[in-house]
Amino acid sequence: MDSSLVEGGLNVTLTIRLLMHGKEVGSIIGKKGESVKKMREESGARINISEGNCPERIITLAGPTTSIFKAFSMIIEKLEEDISTSMTNSTATSKPPVTMRLVVPASQCGSLIGKGGCKIKEIRESAGAQVQVAGDMLPNSTERAITVAGTPQSIIECVKQICVVMLESPPKGVTIPYRPKPSGSSVIFAGGQAYAVQGQHAIPQPDLTKLHQLAMQQSPFPIAHGNHGFQAGMDASAQTGSQELTIPNDLIGCIIGRQGAKINEIRQMSGAQIKIANPVEGSTGRQVTITGSHASINLAEYLINARLSSEATGLAAN
């Protein structure tokens, strides 16, 4: 264990987010979840895997540093094993390195790169792994991907050093976590309307709306939207639910807009009910409750996150 990660003999609690392809995640979960169960039991770390039939999934490791690195080593061993297995049926002569992608708040990437890239160069050289920090943020988030490739040992050493830097320089401001989206075109149905998502805007699609309404009348069964380039299950008639978010006080203004214009626009566009709680004394954030169908909540969340990320980059219009 790296001594700088064990402060005063105490284990620091850490959270590491890994971005993986669905196939890799399937291998880590194992048959009937046996593989991930073993990892949880042996490492003592909390291992959470994001939901969904997305091409990408997020694995979150949380717990004391010793548990985290035990779980992390087990994940890498599994990936290394998969590479070896695939090599037996392959004509390739050289073994590809293990590659991991970490998801890190963009506000911490500067400290990780260091002045003129000195910090990242130091990490590369001492760990012996290749490290690449993505220039752009991941879609609809304020996080960046860090790709680490090499031998299992060099990756573990490299991630330990990245964790040290992250513990020394906590994230600044609000972090909007990256959430992988289901595959297929991003057409969202909300409130009986179809919207195409382009960048940070949801553009109403009247032709698609008509097509969707006709299709709904013709078919007694729910349509498999995925085959039509629509996101599966994003239907206005889906069950209702609610979602709670906490928005920092200094950013709530950009969500509400002048005389509530922005929040009304988000309500109208998403078809969801959005309640913003009154400020609570001593609290740094405001509770926002979104109620509606699954699709409406998704679209409302998407529009709120788009407002927050444009505000964070100083691009928000009034």
Side-chain angles (χ1 to χ4, degrees):
M1 171 56 58
D2 191 305
S3 59
S4 50
L5 278 173
V6 186
E7 297 176 338
L10 291 171
N11 242 338
V12 190
T13 302
L14 269 185
T15 301
I16 298 180
R17 280 159 57 77
L18 305 170
L19 183 57
M20 292 200 180
H21 296 297
K23 194 180 166 193
E24 295 171 324
V25 172
S27 162
I28 284 154
I29 295 171
K31 277 186 186 148
K32 296 183 182 170
E34 278 169 17
S35 181
V36 75
K37 185 173 175 248
K38 185 178 175 221
M39 286 179 188
R40 286 184 179 122
E41 284 169 0
E42 289 189 18
S43 70
R46 286 194 302 281
I47 304 174
N48 207 339
I49 298 166
S50 71
E51 289 294 317
N53 53 346
C54 305
E56 292 181 320
R57 308 271 288 276
I58 293 217
I59 295 187
T60 308
L61 307 178
T65 43
T66 40
S67 301
I68 289 283
F69 289 117
K70 172 75 178 148
F72 189 69
S73 311
M74 290 176 84
I75 286 174
I76 290 178
E77 275 164 28
K78 188 81 192 88
L79 297 178
E80 167 84 348
E81 200 182 292
D82 291 347
I83 292 172
S84 303
T85 310
S86 66
M87 286 291 292
T88 53
N89 312 322
S90 155
T91 52
T93 47
S94 60
K95 191 174 181 180
V98 178
T99 304
M100 297 292 291
R101 281 181 301 167
L102 276 76
V103 184
V104 172
S107 59
Q108 290 179 292
C109 288
S111 314
L112 210 53
I113 294 165
K115 273 198 184 124
C118 65
K119 189 69 201 168
I120 199 134
K121 185 169 180 270
E122 183 193 308
I123 294 175
R124 275 185 195 124
E125 286 172 2
S126 66
Q130 294 168 292
V131 191
Q132 223 63 47
V133 179
D136 295 326
M137 289 194 257
L138 288 156
N140 310 320
S141 78
T142 56
E143 292 192 303
R144 289 201 216 171
I146 298 174
T147 308
V148 183
T151 62
Q153 204 43 53
S154 69
I155 293 176
I156 294 166
E157 184 50 42
C158 183
V159 173
K160 281 185 182 177
Q161 294 193 30
I162 289 172
C163 289
V164 171
V165 176
M166 286 168 67
L167 287 166
E168 286 168 356
S169 327
K172 296 170 201 70
V174 62
T175 298
I176 301 168
Y178 173 58
R179 290 181 179 176
K181 287 274 177 278
S183 50
S185 150
S186 46
V187 170
I188 293 180
F189 288 106
Q193 303 292 311
Y195 297 93
V197 179
Q198 292 180 6
Q200 295 187 350
H201 304 284
I203 295 127
Q205 302 282 310
D207 297 344
L208 274 175
T209 303
K210 279 182 203 147
L211 189 71
H212 176 58
Q213 285 166 347
L214 277 170
M216 289 306 287
Q217 287 161 11
Q218 300 298 322
S219 167
F221 304 106
I223 297 154
H225 293 315
N227 304 339
H228 300 278
F230 303 146
Q231 283 188 359
M234 293 300 238
D235 194 276
S237 59
Q239 294 165 316
T240 56
S242 73
Q243 176 74 18
E244 289 191 340
L245 307 171
T246 304
I247 309 280
N249 288 336
D250 55 347
L251 287 169
I252 198 78
C254 83
I255 301 293
I256 297 170
R258 276 198 196 137
Q259 295 173 325
K262 267 292 147 211
I263 195 76
N264 282 338
E265 189 182 305
I266 294 172
R267 282 185 185 120
Q268 217 173 343
M269 225 176 202
S270 65
Q273 292 176 316
I274 305 169
K275 287 197 179 99
I276 298 173
N278 292 328
V280 178
E281 207 171 279
S283 168
T284 56
R286 298 268 289 275
Q287 197 75 15
V288 176
T289 309
I290 307 167
T291 315
S293 68
H294 179 61
S296 303
I297 293 172
N298 270 2
L299 183 52
E301 261 194 286
Y302 177 88
L303 295 167
I304 287 171
N305 280 341
R307 282 297 294 168
L308 290 173
S309 50
S310 58
E311 180 71 10
T313 49
L315 299 172
N318 300 329

